[in-house]
Amino acid sequence: QAKQGGKGQACEFASGMDAALRERHDIELDLRAALSREELAIHYQPLFDIAGSITGFEALARWPHPTRGMIPPDRFIPLAEETGLIVPLGEWVLRTACSTAAKWRSDISIAVNLSPIQFQRVDLVEMVTRILSETGLDPVRLELEITESLLMEDTAKALELVRDLRNHGVRVALDDFGTGYSSLAYLHNFPFDKVKVDRSFIGKISNDPNAWTIVEAIILMSHKLNLRVTAEGIETGAQLSLLTERGCDEMQGFLLGRPMPEEEASAIARDHRIVAPA
Ligand code: C2E
Ligand code: MG
Ligand code: MG
Ligand code: MG
């Protein structure tokens, strides 16, 4: 078997690469087509306050592919970012989510994720305010979720953009906190409304004392900085009670509600006051 090496293996490797590249190319073409035909979907995951009342939903992109099944965002957002498709895709998500939320009860907000690539666009604030006025959504009901990687690229410009968005009444949340560098300087310097603690931490809090200590410290520190805290990825009652006892402001996770299609979310958000099964 060892003798088989050399040329044969290199060839196999090359054709493997070829196949991977071709598949990527196919997916890129499919994504472009799906976007122009508006075949992408958004699922909405509910968020709850400490008393168990629903406060809003996070818009999460989905791609129902005709032959590959439901493709999760972790598989197509990076591709969309590399190809620049994230710009029209992100705009479509924002417009669709805002126009959906505009039909909801006025105390229910909508959170939308922004890619660093969108943040680099000079016309980001213009795009956001245009969509708000087109859809009639009150700016205070929109929360944009950004990640740290975005702040690191050009901190001065990012700061200006966040301030600008805030001045238009839009709220801004720092997503996935606890991963990456989690620089305290960002919490201190940026006028965020909210910090979302990453689910890789939340998943450990009930059996890893160090993880819990860190999350407790993030909650305490955020509150002193006048930031609200959301815990994402709550899957167990034990996690929920720890967070509730420590005064975490907002809860998100499969325990309380999975991302759901628009009709389901809208049915909840239009009328009845749903209480989480805490
Ligand atoms: P994210 O913004 O941190 O969103 C939360 C992710 O955690 C979602 O995954 C959600 O389904 C998942 N999640 C929530 N609760 C739980 C839980 O209890 N257990 C587990 N295992 N997972 C939970 P999803 O929908 O697959 O999205 C993954 C990431 O893709 C998002 O992470 C976000 O970074 C990105 N993404 C999704 N939609 C968009 C979009 O429209 N634009 C951009 N730029 N990124 C998006
Ligand atoms: Mg998010
Ligand atoms: Mg997150
Ligand atoms: Mg996350």
Side-chain angles (χ1 to χ4, degrees):
Q1 273 203 332
K3 280 188 184 151
Q4 253 185 349
K7 251 186 189 164
Q9 249 176 22
C11 269
E12 207 170 278
F13 179 67
S15 71
M17 281 275 289
D18 244 32
L21 276 176
R22 231 176 300 123
E23 177 174 292
R24 231 186 91 93
H25 183 66
D26 287 350
I27 295 181
E28 184 192 330
L29 289 181
D30 281 5
L31 181 57
R32 206 174 280 279
L35 185 60
S36 69
R37 293 195 221 109
E38 302 216 24
E39 285 168 359
L40 297 180
I42 300 177
H43 281 191
Y44 296 87
Q45 186 179 24
L47 290 108
F48 299 88
D49 67 17
I50 199 161
S53 296
I54 201 157
T55 56
F57 288 85
E58 177 173 3
L60 295 159
R62 296 285 180 272
W63 181 11
H65 191 280
T67 57
R68 295 172 203 269
M70 188 69 90
I71 305 183
D74 289 337
R75 292 219 16 235
F76 68 86
I77 296 286
L79 179 73
E81 286 174 335
E82 284 165 36
T83 55
L85 275 177
I86 192 69
V87 171
L89 192 160
E91 183 165 343
W92 177 82
V93 170
L94 185 67
R95 176 175 299 106
T96 308
C98 286
S99 82
T100 297
K103 296 174 211 138
W104 294 346
R105 259 185 12 226
S106 62
D107 60 336
I108 294 188
S109 61
I110 181 75
V112 178
N113 294 283
L114 280 190
S115 156
I117 311 283
Q118 288 174 279
F119 228 70
Q120 284 159 11
R121 305 271 303 191
V122 283
D123 56 351
L124 176 79
V125 178
E126 188 273 324
M127 188 265 282
V128 171
T129 53
R130 176 166 39 82
I131 287 177
L132 284 168
S133 70
E134 278 169 18
T135 58
L137 185 75
D138 183 347
V140 300
R141 292 174 61 199
L142 175 63
E143 188 162 85
L144 297 173
E145 297 192 359
I146 65 177
T147 54
E148 228 174 12
S149 61
L150 186 153
L151 310 177
M152 289 167 55
E153 304 201 348
D154 184 348
T155 309
K157 186 172 166 236
L159 182 59
E160 193 188 307
L161 275 173
V162 172
R163 283 200 180 125
D164 206 359
L165 289 166
R166 293 283 321 263
N167 287 338
H168 283 92
V170 174
R171 289 181 293 156
V172 182
L174 183 58
D175 204 357
D176 301 340
F177 193 72
T179 60
Y181 291 94
S182 303
S183 168
L184 299 182
Y186 296 137
L187 287 190
H188 173 243
N189 294 330
F190 279 79
F192 295 122
D193 296 275
K194 187 190 277 186
V195 173
K196 295 188 78 173
V197 183
D198 194 69
R199 71 182 155 89
S200 60
F201 264 102
I202 302 303
K204 289 190 282 196
I205 57 173
S206 49
N207 36 39
D208 177 345
N210 291 339
W212 175 231
T213 298
I214 290 171
V215 172
E216 280 185 300
I218 294 175
I219 295 173
L220 191 71
M221 176 180 66
S222 301
H223 284 167
K224 292 206 165 185
L225 292 167
N226 280 319
L227 293 161
R228 293 168 59 77
V229 183
T230 300
E232 62 175 29
I234 300 172
E235 292 185 345
T236 69
Q239 292 160 1
L240 181 63
S241 34
L242 279 173
L243 292 159
T244 306
E245 281 160 31
R246 196 50 80 240
C248 180
D249 304 280
E250 204 174 41
M251 319 289 177
Q252 179 178 14
F254 290 176
L255 177 73
L256 305 170
R258 289 185 175 255
M260 58 186 96
E262 187 268 318
E263 312 81 73
E264 252 177 80
S266 288
I268 294 170
R270 276 200 182 124
D271 19 77
H272 36 262
R273 183 161 290 273
I274 279 261
V275 173

